[in-house]
Structures are given as structure tokens and as C-alpha cells.
Amino acid sequence: MTKQLASELVRETGVDGVGVAVFATESTRDLVYASDGVAEELDETQFTLGEGPCLDAFRFDRPELHADMAGGEARARWPLFTAQVLGLGAASVYAYPLGGGGSPFGVLELYGSSPVSLAPSEEVKCRSYAHTIAHAVVSELAPVYALTSGSDVGVFRRGNVNIACGILAAYQRISTAEAMVRLRALVGEIFAEVGPMVDDVGLPHR
């Protein structure tokens, strides 16, 4: 569903590419969908450099809309990222936080190859898709998708328990410790199948 919605957004607006990233913390995230190589590079560049509109959309829980990345504001706020992003061919970048009424748990990232502002109707559509995609990501947090490998749904392919924990904490407005307890309860009957991931997050085996 996340992949389908993101693809629809590209077709229905003036953007050229889209990515969906989810966070456990500011320094722990997973890119769960990218429409193309540029979208993937944009996401990776921001987290490598530690700056960019996606990170600020998550940190401050607000959209970051930048129609001209060569302009003064973007260069002043993210000098390293701006230099890289222009080289990738992304002239405009937009980022919308994903959340369920509490703190954001992810970001919808979009780019355009030309420095063109979104039309008012397109901007409304992007906000609407951000809301819908947030719910789609949470629905795909079900254990069969989030916690097992080999899924063909296009998200959580690596079964990232830290990311799943972060989404639960943000969406249900609970601590990450409580989220981990609830997540462990969800996977009781399939716990043997996720043993390798348990080692990664320091939980004891049954």
C-alpha cells in the first residue's frame, strides 16, 4: 500500500520522485520506499551529512517546502546538503512529517528536477497523501510484514525491529520501552522466526 500510494502521488502532482523514511530516533531510520535512484540518494545524503529538509521536517514536525534549492534560504540552512542535492539533479525538495496525531515517526520526501513551486492544489494533495501514507505504514507494521523477511509488500523488508518500535512509540504516544514490550507481545507465536533480530535489539530469547 505504501508503495502504491507513493507512486500515485508522483503521477498526480508535479514532483518527479518520492521517498518514505521512518525513524526510531533522529539517528536511526530506514528508507522504506524510493521511487528512483535520485530519491534514494537524497535520503542517504541527508543522513550522511546530518542536515536537510527531511531531518528538519522530522525534528520540528512541520513541512519543509523548498521550490528552489539553489536559493538563499536552503543554502543558508543546509550548505553541505544543498551542494550535493543540486549535483544529483534535484532542484526542488519537499518534506512532510508522517504522524498519527503525536510526534512524527517518519517523513514523506519529494523532489522535482526543476525549481518550480507546487501549485496550491498539489500542495494540498501532498499533505493528504502524507496523512494516508502514514496510516498505510502503520498498517504494514503488522508482524507478518514488519518482522519477517521475504515479504513482497515493499516496506520493512529487513524486518527492522528498532524502526517498528519507534513507529509504535510515536503513533501510540508511549515510551520506546513500552513500545518494545507491546511489540514483543505481538510477535509471541512467531518469535522463533525473528531470533536474529532479537539479538540486534538486546532482547532475551525464549
Side-chain angles (χ1 to χ4, degrees):
M1 180 64 73
T2 297
K3 180 178 180 180
Q4 177 183 336
L5 289 168
S7 298
E8 290 175 1
L9 178 57
V10 171
R11 292 195 301 268
E12 295 182 16
T13 64
V15 302
D16 291 301
V18 58
V20 179
V22 294
F23 296 71
T25 66
E26 286 187 20
S27 59
T28 306
R29 70 79 175 86
D30 197 8
L31 180 66
V32 299
Y33 175 73
S35 62
D36 54 38
V38 174
E40 187 172 357
E41 285 294 325
L42 285 176
D43 178 82
E44 188 63 36
T45 297
Q46 290 181 82
F47 286 91
T48 298
L49 298 176
E51 64 175 44
C54 173
L55 289 177
D56 280 3
F58 175 75
R59 288 166 177 159
F60 304 117
D61 192 14
R62 69 188 184 203
E64 290 285 350
L65 311 179
H66 300 275
D68 185 5
M69 291 302 295
E73 180 187 1
R75 285 187 179 276
R77 292 178 63 184
W78 313 298
L80 298 176
F81 173 73
T82 300
Q84 292 289 326
V85 75
L86 292 173
L88 292 172
S92 54
V93 176
Y94 310 94
Y96 295 84
L98 303 177
S103 300
F105 61 76
V107 175
L108 174 65
E109 311 167 76
L110 310 104
Y111 81 89
S113 57
S114 301
V116 178
S117 298
L118 293 172
S121 61
E122 292 174 335
E123 210 276 314
V124 169
K125 186 165 292 186
C126 286
R127 289 176 183 267
S128 177
Y129 266 92
H131 178 77
T132 305
I133 287 172
H135 285 281
V137 169
V138 171
S139 72
E140 288 163 343
L141 185 61
V144 67
Y145 296 136
L147 299 173
T148 59
S149 60
S151 170
D152 62 355
V153 296
V155 294
F156 299 111
R157 288 186 300 273
R158 285 167 282 179
N160 192 316
V161 175
N162 288 317
I163 298 299
C165 178
I167 293 178
L168 278 177
Y171 205 80
Q172 298 186 5
R173 302 185 187 185
I174 57 177
S175 69
T176 53
E178 175 64 19
M180 185 63 77
V181 171
R182 296 187 186 186
L183 189 61
R184 184 176 180 181
L186 282 173
V187 301
E189 69 276 10
I190 61 170
F191 207 81
E193 297 179 26
V194 295
M197 290 179 287
V198 172
D199 294 332
D200 290 339
V201 297
L203 288 175
H205 287 279
R206 288 183 175 182

